Amino acid sequence: MHPKKPRRRAIQTARLHAPGDLRLEPLPEPQAGAGDLVIRVLACGTCGTDVKILHYGHANITLPRVMGHEVAGEIIEVGAGVDAWSVGDRVQVIAAIPDGECFQCRRGFQTVCEHLESIGYHYDGGFAEFMRVPAKVLAVDGVNRIPEHVTAAEAAVTEPLACVLNGQELADVHEGDAVVVVGAGPIGCLHVRLARARGAAQVVLIDVNPSRLELASRVQPDTLIDGSTTDPIAAVLDLTGGRGADVVITAAASKPAQEQALAMAMPRGRVSLFGGLPKDDPIIHSDSNLIHYRELAVVGAYGSAPRHNREALELIASGQVPVADLLTNRLPLDRVADAIQIVERGEGIKVVIEPNPAG
Ligand SMILES: [Zn+2]
């Protein structure tokens, strides 16, 4: 049924050997074991996490490792026992892989699975011409068919949008809300777009970097606030009749953003600490009485479940969350270092690697 393939050729990859040591190097073409897929990577997004991993490594990453976790591609090989997929199918692949069996997964909380593994951390990722999709991904429905009218580069935005969707579910963003997003990077832009799709009545985007705000103006928040020249708390109160916002989302690795977020939320408001802080400096100073007297809900958000990826791809495909205009930079694999630098300098919105540009 699955005849033995000829000897594998070498494929190009971008593999991290140590913090700061990302190498373009050939590796043997991956092979589909039982239950696996192999895809030709058509697009792999670059994100702030890649910047952190490149410089500092990550507690969960085993090196050397091919990086890249926002993956879209075309199936070129189907492992034994896989019936749902065929060679030629275009697919989006989840990044965070829950085991589906632990205490948290059985409670329905796959984002905090006790044995979470990730593409690009535990398994070689999408900064490569080809990538193996482990059986474990298929076992939790972590592969999604890309509709014909959606490009692979757009589909590569599914994973970050899935994380944003998880965050807005936890913060209960809904119709009529006044939503403040702090941080105008790619995640902040997706938060603005998703808040709109969920019926927010007012959306405010804040950043301390004017050029980044300018770039993000294309997502058309009702108000852009330059926090480097304007007091963002006073501005938000002013824009909300003195009450504050229903929801404040911090999409920046910034202590002041987290500290100020509490003061921007109205009574019974929700604050989402979406962006994490550097692991060596995560302590913030906040007035906890704001939470107490205003009955605020403060929620975290980390990653996404397979269901969020499925729904995020549907949001992109239906046009409810357009992403084509967020794809500011599309680079070939041999320019992956440049791509990560563009992300680091905040000069683009979504920066995507296309390892097979012709595909
Ligand atoms: Zn689990």
Side-chain angles (χ1 to χ4, degrees):
M1 211 164 44
H2 295 273
K4 209 168 168 59
K5 293 266 164 98
R7 207 164 72 87
R8 301 269 151 165
R9 58 195 154 139
I11 65 158
Q12 190 59 269
T13 73
R15 193 155 75 140
L16 188 69
H17 284 254
D21 183 10
L22 180 65
R23 299 181 200 169
L24 287 167
E25 64 181 348
L27 287 176
E29 184 184 356
Q31 193 158 1
D36 296 341
L37 301 172
V38 173
I39 61 171
R40 172 186 289 113
V41 180
L42 299 176
C44 185
T46 306
C47 87
T49 307
D50 294 317
V51 175
K52 281 194 275 185
I53 292 172
L54 175 60
H55 292 313
Y56 308 112
H58 191 282
N60 297 334
I61 199 167
T62 48
L63 299 175
R65 179 66 63 217
V66 177
M67 291 174 60
H69 58 270
E70 301 180 358
V71 182
E74 177 186 0
I75 295 173
I76 60 154
E77 188 184 357
V78 175
V82 177
D83 301 321
W85 299 103
S86 310
V87 169
D89 290 345
R90 289 192 317 144
V91 293
Q92 181 268 340
V93 182
I94 60 169
I97 315 164
D99 65 2
E101 293 171 355
C102 73
F103 178 80
Q104 300 297 357
C105 282
R106 280 186 278 115
R107 292 207 300 163
F109 303 151
Q110 290 178 311
T111 51
V112 289
C113 169
E114 293 169 4
H115 310 110
L116 205 60
E117 293 189 318
S118 298
I119 300 291
Y121 294 65
H122 304 84
Y123 303 95
D124 280 342
F127 293 159
E129 289 178 277
F130 299 90
M131 185 186 97
R132 183 176 70 92
V133 180
K136 210 183 150 171
V137 169
L138 281 74
V140 293
D141 288 330
V143 178
N144 297 301
R145 189 180 305 276
I146 302 173
E148 209 163 302
H149 68 283
V150 176
T151 67
E154 290 171 301
V157 186
T158 299
E159 194 276 338
L161 180 60
C163 299
V164 164
L165 178 58
N166 178 44
Q168 293 204 12
E169 280 185 2
L170 289 165
D172 188 25
V173 174
H174 58 254
E175 196 157 350
D177 278 344
V179 177
V180 172
V181 178
V182 186
I187 291 292
C189 287
L190 290 172
H191 270 299
V192 169
R193 285 255 159 98
L194 182 63
R196 284 270 189 246
R198 293 172 75 90
Q202 187 179 14
V203 184
V204 177
L205 181 60
I206 303 174
D207 203 291
V208 291
N209 178 339
S211 63
R212 202 152 184 168
L213 268 184
E214 171 63 33
L215 197 59
S217 64
R218 70 189 69 190
V219 297
Q220 295 180 298
D222 297 298
T223 313
L224 292 158
I225 297 173
D226 178 353
S228 70
T229 57
T230 305
D231 173 0
I233 298 171
V236 167
L237 291 175
D238 189 48
L239 288 164
T240 54
R243 282 186 299 273
D246 295 273
V247 181
V248 183
I249 299 166
T250 65
S254 159
K255 287 188 181 189
Q258 293 191 351
E259 290 162 356
Q260 291 168 352
L262 294 175
M264 292 176 188
M266 73 155 84
R268 283 290 176 124
R270 291 89 71 195
V271 174
S272 171
L273 304 184
F274 188 93
L277 296 179
K279 66 175 178 225
D280 57 348
D281 192 16
I283 308 298
I284 60 171
H285 294 279
S286 297
D287 179 355
S288 79
N289 274 342
L290 290 172
I291 302 171
H292 173 72
Y293 286 117
R294 295 183 186 176
E295 299 190 344
L296 301 182
V298 179
V299 295
Y302 175 66
S304 59
R307 167 180 73 80
H308 296 116
N309 283 257
R310 197 150 56 241
E311 291 175 19
L313 185 53
E314 284 167 15
L315 286 164
I316 292 169
S318 67
Q320 288 175 273
V321 178
V323 297
D325 63 338
L326 305 184
L327 300 165
T328 49
N329 306 73
R330 299 164 73 152
L331 301 172
L333 182 58
D334 60 6
R335 293 192 59 202
V336 66
D338 294 338
I340 294 174
Q341 271 182 21
I342 292 168
V343 173
E344 187 165 13
R345 293 195 296 253
E347 290 172 355
I349 300 179
K350 273 319 286 182
V351 182
V352 173
I353 296 294
E354 294 175 313
N356 293 281

